[in-house]
Amino acid sequence: MATVVSPVASTASRPSAGGRLLSDTGTSMLRVLLNYRHSPGLLAASLGVPVIMVVVFGYVFGSAMQVPGGGDYREFLMPGLFAMVATNGIMPTMVGAARDVGRGVTDRLRSMPVSRTGLLLGQNLADLLVSLVVLALLALVGLAAGWRARHGVGDALEAFALLLLFRFVMTWVGTLLGLAVGKEEAAAQLSVVVFPLAMVTNAYVPTGGMPGWLRVIADWNPISSVVEASRELFGNPAAPGTAWPMQHAVLATLLWSAVLLVLCGPLAVRKFATHGR
């Protein structure tokens, strides 16, 4: 006697869209975290550059630096280095996305019945967990160098939350760029563009000494908003200037993050889903 499969039962046996999203997000996160587990040098490299910057800028150049209005330069510097960790989310995700495209991993994933959003979201959430570790370790280095969060635990947690939000946004920017480039070598070369973008900010020096045209660019750079918001919340020395993003740094950071995420997130998912078509 033939067995009749109820269409209702067949439909119920398939996971819902939300369940598949959660499952694929978790699987994608695990894939990235296992990569870090088997390659601890990646985590060491992520932390190494900011630590070197603490030494070079804080102790080598710091003796010649003066913060407008007074204050310790290393306390002025640390929020800038935290923001650099957040900004650097562009590079590994961009290179990783381009590598997956070049090696055919993206095509294999697209051929599977998986959530495109879940795959990318999982990768970026895994990066966020790693970034949390890097920020915590960098904060310990900063404490050893004399940096302090002077506005209490609540404001400090808010500052770290803003930094992690910006890192999350930068991973989506990097994912979109990597998928668009499609070649690991080209993505690695393109990553050098991040360096001048990070330098034309208030992260290392106040923008007041810059030429007028360059100061406008620096003050309206989203990274400068993150840096200034962190300084405000940590209670560290600052030289905000008169530009609107510097006077409303927390709000500006949230607005920049929202705009970039709304633009780059859906575009990255669409590019992933339609790659090669």
Side-chain angles (χ1 to χ4, degrees):
M1 182 176 178
T3 302
V4 178
V5 180
S6 168
V8 175
S10 177
T11 302
S13 65
R14 294 196 298 265
S16 65
R20 188 174 65 181
L21 174 64
L22 291 175
S23 176
D24 293 340
T25 298
T27 302
S28 183
M29 284 182 64
L30 184 61
R31 170 178 173 252
V32 176
L33 293 175
L34 286 175
N35 187 37
Y36 275 99
R37 178 183 177 184
H38 295 300
S39 304
L42 294 175
L43 183 60
S46 299
L47 178 63
V49 173
V51 170
I52 292 172
M53 298 297 278
V54 172
V55 175
V56 173
F57 278 88
Y59 289 94
V60 178
F61 298 149
S63 58
M65 297 283 190
Q66 292 186 350
V67 180
D72 182 76
Y73 176 72
R74 285 192 290 275
E75 288 208 358
F76 175 87
L77 173 67
M78 285 306 301
L81 296 183
F82 290 141
M84 289 304 104
V85 171
T87 304
N88 287 340
I90 292 179
M91 292 183 286
T93 51
M94 179 169 60
V95 174
R99 183 191 304 120
D100 284 348
V101 171
R103 296 180 179 179
V105 175
T106 299
D107 288 334
R108 290 197 296 271
L109 291 173
R110 283 182 56 249
S111 67
M112 301 169 62
V114 295
S115 167
R116 275 59 167 164
T117 302
L119 289 174
L120 297 183
L121 180 60
Q123 293 174 5
N124 294 340
L125 287 176
D127 176 89
L128 198 64
L129 290 177
V130 175
S131 303
L132 178 59
V133 175
V134 173
L135 283 173
L137 293 175
L138 182 58
L140 293 177
V141 174
L143 289 171
W147 168 78
R148 296 292 183 271
R150 302 192 179 278
H151 282 177
V153 175
D155 282 356
L157 291 176
E158 185 178 345
F160 281 119
L162 279 179
L163 290 164
L164 289 172
L165 170 63
F166 196 71
R167 172 80 183 206
F168 183 66
V169 172
M170 291 296 100
T171 59
W172 282 104
V173 175
T175 299
L176 175 60
L177 292 175
L179 290 171
V181 171
K183 295 183 179 180
E184 182 177 357
E185 297 79 7
Q189 294 174 357
L190 184 61
S191 65
V192 301
V193 176
V194 178
F195 181 75
L197 177 67
M199 293 302 294
V200 185
T201 66
N202 60 354
Y204 305 111
V205 296
T207 60
M210 298 180 182
W213 63 271
L214 189 60
R215 180 177 183 178
V216 172
I217 296 174
D219 284 346
W220 284 87
N221 189 327
I223 302 172
S224 292
S225 298
V226 180
V227 174
E228 187 60 33
S230 299
R231 286 181 179 140
E232 288 180 10
L233 292 169
F234 286 132
N236 297 147
T242 58
W244 186 89
M246 299 296 95
Q247 292 294 317
H248 308 85
V250 174
L251 177 59
T253 299
L254 293 173
L255 290 175
W256 276 120
S257 298
V259 170
L260 291 172
L261 188 59
V262 167
L263 286 176
C264 295
L267 286 175
V269 173
R270 181 179 180 182
K271 185 66 178 177
F272 180 86
T274 59
H275 172 72
R277 295 181 182 177

